[in-house]
Amino acid sequence: DGGITQSPKYLFRKEGQNVTLSCEQNLNHDAMYWYRQDPGQGLRLIYYSQIVNDFQKGDIAEGYSVSREKKESFPLTVTSAQKNPTAFYLCASSTRQGGYTFGSGTRLTVV
Amino acid sequence: AQSVTQLGSHVSVSEGALVLLRCNYSSSVPPYLFWYVQYPNQGLQLLLKYTTGATLVKGINGFEAEFKKSETSFHLTKPSAHMSDAAEYFCAVSDSGYQKVTFGTGTKLQVIP
């Protein structure tokens, strides 16, 4: 079955450490997105990409980086510059007709 | 800029009662509108979407929503709540299907037996 796979499901980061969250899709969708979810704040857009080798900053891109070398993959790196990284991270993809397909998320905790 | 307002961060209904979750939007162009559902520690699942055409949209699990341009609303309803409907629901808007989507802050639905 087609879908989006996010890994790992749980991730622990030490202070000053960079970590990378994986997102892979086999839906042949052109566009991919990263959202951050915090309680009571809904989803906030970090980065998005509509074609390979191109991506744009969302509303809260500071302290994050992405790459889009393949259509299927859109990894997110949470850098040490992100001062409050503890959150639930969601990856999504879409076609031009609209409506996202989401992965099951990665819960990142700073220890 | 587009935005979404969901009225009520928590809604409680009795099992079998009507479910009504409110959503108002703002958009400078005809909007694409969506409702998503999220169960704990999971991703979001698309319930239904409005793009063009019929203003009453039917989705999965018996939910439906009506696009009312004059009221800038897209409220989600279900005639009879089931225990399995307990989840968090997000309304969302975009200027087109392909552009980035803006989400509301969510409404947690509690279903009381």
Side-chain angles (χ1 to χ4, degrees), chain A residues 9 30-31 33 35 37 40-43 45 48 50 88 90 95-100 102-104 107, chain B residues 32 34 36 38 41-46 49 51 88 90 96-106:
Chain A
K9 189 172 180 64
D30 290 316
Y33 311 81
Y35 283 87
Q37 186 177 23
Q41 296 194 44
L43 280 71
L45 182 65
Y48 65 105
Q50 294 181 331
F88 190 50
L90 287 162
T95 66
R96 292 184 181 274
Q97 286 70 42
Y100 286 3
F102 280 88
S104 57
R107 188 166 297 281
Chain B
Y32 283 47
F34 310 87
Y36 290 86
Q38 184 181 34
N41 293 313
Q42 294 185 27
L44 280 68
Q45 180 184 9
L46 181 66
K49 66 179 179 182
T51 54
E88 189 161 19
F90 292 90
S96 74
Y98 206 49
Q99 300 302 315
K100 60 189 179 80
V101 173
T102 298
F103 288 84
T105 53

Side-chain angles (χ1 to χ4, degrees), chain A residues 24-37:
Chain A
E24 302 278 336
Q25 56 104 353
N26 61 4
L27 299 166
N28 200 32
H29 287 175
D30 290 316
M32 298 187 73
Y33 311 81
W34 274 106
Y35 283 87
R36 170 179 171 145
Q37 186 177 23

